[in-house]
Amino acid sequence: QVQLVESGGGLVQAGGSLRLSCAASGTTFSIHTMGWYRQAPGKQRELVAIITSGSATNYADSVKGRFTISRDNSKNTVYLQMNSLKPEDTGVYFCNKINEVTGRIAWGQGTQVTVSS
């Protein structure tokens, strides 16, 4: 059974940093594009950042220059380093994986990030 488990969320003041982790199990991690999405209260889920199996990355304009996505295939883990956090970064952050061969998608349960002003 494929599992994605996020961790690292919490409460932080504006300007602070957090690092989110997403550990994958039950899957061939290296053939997946991994992504971070977030959902603020009353809003739709939106893409934050993705990283392909070849480590190409893409970011939402709102987080460019502040967030960095990375992966460690030896640990089946993807990370999201978030710096210079703003109150508008508040939301539930979800990890997502897409099998680059089959297109199959899976989601984690999410981790809450709250940035106070």
Side-chain angles (χ1 to χ4, degrees):
Q1 183 178 359
V2 175
Q3 276 195 316
L4 297 173
V5 179
E6 301 98 333
S7 61
L11 173 64
V12 64
Q13 287 189 331
S17 298
L18 285 173
R19 188 174 85 150
L20 305 183
S21 300
C22 172
S25 61
T27 187
T28 306
F29 184 78
S30 61
I31 64 169
H32 289 80
T33 287
M34 302 299 297
W36 286 99
Y37 292 72
R38 68 187 179 192
Q39 188 165 16
K43 295 189 177 181
Q44 289 189 334
R45 192 173 298 187
E46 63 176 0
L47 173 69
V48 175
I50 60 169
I51 184 166
T52 69
S53 61
S55 294
T57 59
N58 194 28
Y59 297 90
D61 287 343
S62 59
V63 306
K64 282 181 181 176
R66 300 189 296 122
F67 291 11
T68 303
I69 189 170
S70 61
R71 64 191 296 159
D72 185 338
N73 288 346
S74 68
K75 296 181 179 179
N76 285 5
T77 301
V78 61
Y79 305 97
L80 185 68
Q81 178 66 45
M82 306 187 294
N83 299 327
S84 302
L85 282 161
K86 304 175 181 180
E88 51 263 43
D89 294 319
T90 293
V92 179
Y93 282 67
F94 297 90
C95 178
N96 151 285
K97 71 173 191 72
I98 303 172
N99 187 309
E100 294 177 2
V101 176
T102 67
R104 186 172 181 178
I105 299 172
W107 292 90
Q109 293 300 306
T111 185
Q112 176 70 45
V113 171
T114 303
V115 184
S116 63
S117 58

